[in-house]
Amino acid sequence: MSINDQENNAKDLELENQERRKFFGKTALVGAGVVAAPMTAAMFASTAQANAKEYANTPTVHPGELDEYYGFWSGGQSGEVRIVGIPSMRELMRIPVFNYDSATGWGATNESKAIKGDSAHFLNGDLHHPHMSMTDGRYNGKYLFVNDKANTRVARIRCDIMKTDKILSIPNVQAIHGLRVQKVPYTKYFFCNSEFEIPMNNDGKSSLNDVDSYRSLFTVIDAEKMEIAFQVMVDGNLDNTDADYGGKYFASTCYNSEHGTNLSEMIAAERDHVVVFNLARCEAAVKAGKFKNYNGNNVPVLDGRKGSALTRYIPVPKSPHGINTAPSGKYFVANGKLSPTVSIISIEKLDDLFNDKIKPRDTVVAEPEVGLGPLHTAFDNKGNAYTTLFLDSQIAKWNVEDAIKAHNDESINYIRQKMDVNFQPGHNHTTMGETRDADGKWLVALCKFSKDRFLPVGPLHPENDQLIDISGDEMKLVHDGPAFAEPHDCMMVHRSKIKTKKIWDRNDPFFAGTVARAKKDGINLMTDNKVIRDGKKVRVYMTSIAPTYGMNQFDVNLGDEVTVTITNLDTIEDVTHGFCMTNHGVQMEISPQETSSVTFVADKPGVQWFYCNWFCHALHMEMRGRMLVHA
Ligand code: CUK
Ligand code: CUA
């Protein structure tokens, strides 16, 4: 090799390293004081101090050890929720919600179809926002509420069994996006935004192009009944939302106050707004009958457009995205997206705003610059905020009170650190950070791009969920976690708040409908193995106990509609059975003490084997039987 070649080689290597560094970001260099954003002398000093500090947190969870937190991850266009252990980032379970799930039979079983209700025919969803019910601003471990942007629905998940127990289609609107819960005094309501504006009576009869008449509604839902309490018509569209800690106000961002129908129209105005909803006034208006109905349903729709007593519109810079309530209860933080700022709205000033003592902009106590593309903000227990910067691919850590002081005193530096993440973060979330119990331990950045962080798996890349230790003065990246499409949001709750059942309770409402049907058929599900013929309908009831079904053959006629109902008599934790009828596209989960049922047409003559497809016993392979189909 000539000297020239060697030099060229060295240059190539150097170039390659630089390229990789660009990809990897500058995380590793932060400690050396090299970051993309300009640093002040004060920041250098605090970084140096931080380097000397030990980190209390360890991300290592050894085999056999349990995680400290449950993370509930949105599955985005997968339509499901995933349970992730924090800090291990191990995926513990998936909860099918709006999707069809081959393993559990969600979307196929009669029990899940009953829960899906009028939208059971939809097999997809776009689930962005999982949020847990609260009591007095603290997680109570009861429910998770989630949205479906794709098919305009919301759903509730029971945290004692980690199954979806109710799905509700929202009328009068399109595309449910932002969703949060009432924090105080308890989650009586959860509420959600419709993102896309449509005509109020969307019957195709009025002018479809009268864009000015399109509206977007804020929907408030009774959390226990899973019924819509009321909707509020607004100006502009709605994006994300959050509640205060006083039980009085909900606030939503709006990014299309222009009522545009294409990109350039939607970003024309220099300012959009945050809409604040006054809960007591809305409830009073419903009581007083000051609402209208639309589209032939009886959901009360209040008029909360500009000038209404029910709402206030706070102008903020162009196209805000996330809105997050600080755990101090003092501020809503609206994230600028197209503006490098976040708008800090004083919740204490909202009473005066609603009593017309001050102007809407008077509630904005600071608008600090945090970086390019702020989307969402999370909080610790030390007064710091963590904002995702989509365009900068960074998390900006900043101090809320310092940012407010800096509003009048430019010498105050409120930025504590900017850390590169990989890459293009959407939401970020801190442990317990949307409650009074914010504990400042872990931050998760949900990155939209993973580029070269993982082994390549084809043109479709995984997302990258990054775990960041925030317990010290400096944020520290500790884990990259690839995730399938596409976590938007998550919430992390201490394990002490969650109590799950280990086996099913026989009286669980989850399968109560099936139990009632069996009773009508004179069946004791715990003992009976019987076939009931009802014309062309055949109902097969059987038990299962490892490694056998209570019945290993039954007879039907070609073309019969067959309903197989199985009760798992096993009482040992983890002994789940399955039922799969080969060549019929049918299968389901039956966990200990559960009853599950599925209905299909026996459309193939001859011998059709069914088998248990959840490995349950040494003789699991032998756990099968025959459906004899007479032609
Ligand atoms: S949204 Cu996706 S990154 Cu649907 Cu909460 Cu902001
Ligand atoms: Cu029962 Cu496998």
Side-chain angles (χ1 to χ4, degrees), residues 122-160:
F122 291 138
L123 302 181
N124 76 309
D126 188 3
L127 191 158
H128 289 216
H129 298 113
H131 290 284
M132 182 173 278
S133 53
M134 298 188 198
T135 302
D136 192 29
R138 302 188 148 93
Y139 291 135
N140 63 19
K142 196 165 184 197
Y143 297 125
L144 274 187
F145 298 98
V146 297
N147 74 299
D148 173 21
K149 181 167 167 177
N151 296 306
T152 314
R153 293 176 288 181
V154 296
R156 182 174 74 184
I157 292 164
R158 270 173 57 194
C159 296
D160 60 339

Side-chain angles (χ1 to χ4, degrees), residues 102-135:
S102 173
T104 57
W106 186 260
T109 62
N110 295 312
E111 297 72 35
S112 61
K113 281 180 173 170
I115 287 163
K116 284 188 153 187
D118 61 1
S119 66
H121 57 296
F122 291 138
L123 302 181
N124 76 309
D126 188 3
L127 191 158
H128 289 216
H129 298 113
H131 290 284
M132 182 173 278
S133 53
M134 298 188 198
T135 302

Side-chain angles (χ1 to χ4, degrees), residues 128-129 177 240 321 376 426-427 448 488:
H128 289 216
H129 298 113
H177 185 231
N240 277 292
H321 182 57
H376 296 279
H427 276 266
K448 302 294 187 191
H488 281 256

Side-chain angles (χ1 to χ4, degrees), residues 1-10:
M1 205 188 268
S2 74
I3 290 189
N4 259 350
D5 282 347
Q6 280 180 11
E7 271 183 359
N8 282 341
N9 257 3

Side-chain angles (χ1 to χ4, degrees), residues 537-550:
K537 294 185 177 186
V538 179
R539 290 190 287 279
V540 180
Y541 291 94
M542 63 173 101
T543 57
S544 71
I545 188 157
T548 53
Y549 293 112

